[in-house]
Amino acid sequence: MARRCRPAPDVASHFQIVTNPVCHWHPLQRKSWSARAPDGITAARSPARPLPSMTASPKPDTGPETRIAEHARHLGFDAVGFCKAELGPEVAQGLREFVAQGHHGTMEWMETRIEERAHPQALWPEVRSVISLGLSYAPAEGPTTDPKCGNISVYARNRDYHDVIKGMLKHLAQYVVKLGGPETQVKVFVDTAPVSERALAEKAHLGWTGKHTCLVSREHGSWLLLGEIYTTLDLASSEPTGGGCGSCTRCLTACPTDAFTAPGKMDARRCISYLTIEHKGPIPHELRPKIGNHIYGCDDCLAVCPWNRFAESARHIKLQARPELIAPKLDDLVRLDDATFRTFFSGSPVKRIGRNRFVRNVLIAIGNSADRSLAPSARELLHDPDPDVSETAHWALTRLEEQSV
């Protein structure tokens, strides 16, 4: 699931190869919406200084790492790093604790294949190196504050990023094989297997794990989508790039549902991204008022990250927001039947949660809107065939009545 405020890593999906993954660049690059300088950080770069286009790069030579990084840049990746295909014991320990505490909620797939997720060679014994890649999805616009409109997570406002990155990874993997020779083997991943993407990206020095549990980059803030190439090539690890969160806690305090149990620790069962995307069944009543107008995912903890001040808005045209998804009207969305839902969100990651779960989310936003003009639309769903939709419609009407008193 992406945030990726994504509450847990590595959602298993199936993807099609993009036939033409080469990026199309917008001629005018705008700064993404951002915050002020980080608290407690003394080594932050001045915004006036030019920043490198890649987050982590290998030693400056003509070895395979340099050529792979250059080709990755040519394909449109914003960050690339290299590391050995091994992770420390803290990764497995963290995953086991997360599951043991029940913080994964209804994501049963988190309970299985922990060893493969924590140890790349347990997934593929022949792997020797990992190429970690990032693609910026930084927004050019801020979230909507109109209570009549819904907020869709930034990463989901256009094409499914899995498809976009998968095609780019395939092209880069072909180059790696050509570079390494016929004996070279590769595997590519974008949430398609038990892979600890964030931990590998941190080891490859694309950034560090922020207190919001997502990767933070000096150049791209909290707005990086990740993908990996596992390879049998023995590649040199990337050099450290520095950076950190210092004493800043803005992401922790920004969470509307208090999903963070400690810095770097999350209970996904309280995360709005989990609740609106992964959670099966009705959303707990005590959390519904805190969800506000979030109808698919949440970026609140990501958006306040001070490192976002260095991020430029996404260059890949398929990651730039469709105008109709920046501030969609709740009254329009709640009327979608299954067919119109599938058509409207064709090619979007929103489509995978289905009409019923999505309309459930929209009804919660309607209940939180304090706008009684939306009541007739909610009333029409009191007898919806889906029990979660009909129950949430009843809740939304009750809440609108309470807010009007």
Side-chain angles (χ1 to χ4, degrees), residues 27-279:
L28 297 177
Q29 293 304 311
R30 299 161 289 179
K31 282 286 185 182
S32 67
W33 44 291
S34 57
R36 57 188 174 84
D39 300 325
I41 296 176
T42 58
R45 296 179 179 175
S46 165
R49 292 176 59 186
L51 294 169
S53 58
M54 305 299 288
T55 300
S57 59
K59 297 177 182 179
D61 55 29
T62 57
E65 299 83 7
T66 298
R67 282 174 278 177
I68 291 170
E70 289 175 348
H71 198 70
R73 185 183 298 111
H74 171 73
L75 289 173
F77 284 107
D78 295 297
V80 60
F82 306 88
C83 67
K84 300 303 179 184
E86 13 178 87
L87 291 170
E90 69 280 358
V91 176
Q93 180 181 349
L95 287 169
R96 292 192 185 97
E97 290 177 356
F98 184 74
V99 170
Q101 293 167 349
H103 290 171
H104 62 307
T106 60
M107 297 183 290
E108 293 88 357
W109 52 266
M110 287 291 297
E111 303 172 14
T112 62
R113 306 187 73 181
I114 288 179
E115 287 302 311
E116 290 95 331
R117 202 177 300 277
H119 304 290
Q121 291 182 345
L123 178 63
W124 185 30
E126 290 80 12
V127 62
R128 300 185 68 183
S129 304
V130 176
I131 307 170
S132 181
L133 298 126
L135 186 62
S136 173
Y137 69 108
E141 60 285 315
T144 178
T145 57
D146 186 343
K148 294 184 179 182
C149 298
N151 257 319
I152 293 175
S153 188
V154 170
Y155 81 91
R157 294 178 182 174
N158 200 327
R159 303 294 294 182
D160 192 328
Y161 79 89
H162 299 91
D163 295 336
V164 175
I165 295 181
K166 190 77 168 184
M168 296 168 66
L169 286 174
K170 290 283 188 180
H171 276 238
L172 184 59
Q174 291 172 359
Y175 179 80
V176 172
V177 171
K178 180 179 179 181
L179 191 65
E183 300 301 317
T184 302
Q185 298 180 55
V186 296
K187 293 183 184 292
V188 303
F189 303 105
V190 190
D191 289 346
T192 56
V195 174
S196 291
E197 296 185 316
R198 185 196 61 211
L200 289 169
E202 184 170 15
K203 186 173 182 181
H205 300 297
L206 266 64
W208 65 94
T209 299
K211 295 174 184 178
H212 51 24
T213 75
C214 293
L215 193 78
V216 182
S217 160
R218 291 181 67 118
E219 287 78 29
H220 308 289
S222 291
W223 304 115
L224 273 184
L225 301 168
L226 301 175
E228 301 77 37
I229 298 177
Y230 281 19
T231 179
T232 54
L233 282 180
D234 188 10
L235 300 172
S237 298
S238 297
E239 298 288 344
T241 55
C245 296
S247 61
C248 179
T249 58
R250 290 178 211 166
C251 59
L252 304 182
T253 57
C255 180
T257 54
D258 297 318
F260 298 107
T261 59
K265 302 287 185 181
M266 171 188 283
D267 184 347
R269 296 170 298 181
R270 298 187 63 87
C271 175
I272 293 175
S273 283
Y274 163 79
L275 291 169
T276 57
I277 299 174
E278 298 294 339
H279 181 71

Side-chain angles (χ1 to χ4, degrees), residues 257-317:
T257 54
D258 297 318
F260 298 107
T261 59
K265 302 287 185 181
M266 171 188 283
D267 184 347
R269 296 170 298 181
R270 298 187 63 87
C271 175
I272 293 175
S273 283
Y274 163 79
L275 291 169
T276 57
I277 299 174
E278 298 294 339
H279 181 71
K280 302 171 184 176
I283 291 176
H285 282 232
E286 66 272 18
L287 295 177
R288 293 182 185 185
K290 300 176 183 293
I291 290 176
N293 68 341
H294 294 291
I295 57 176
Y296 184 92
C298 177
D299 301 305
D300 288 5
C301 67
L302 302 181
V304 298
C305 180
W307 287 98
N308 292 342
R309 69 195 293 234
F310 298 114
E312 291 186 345
S313 56
R315 297 182 294 169
H316 199 301
I317 194 169

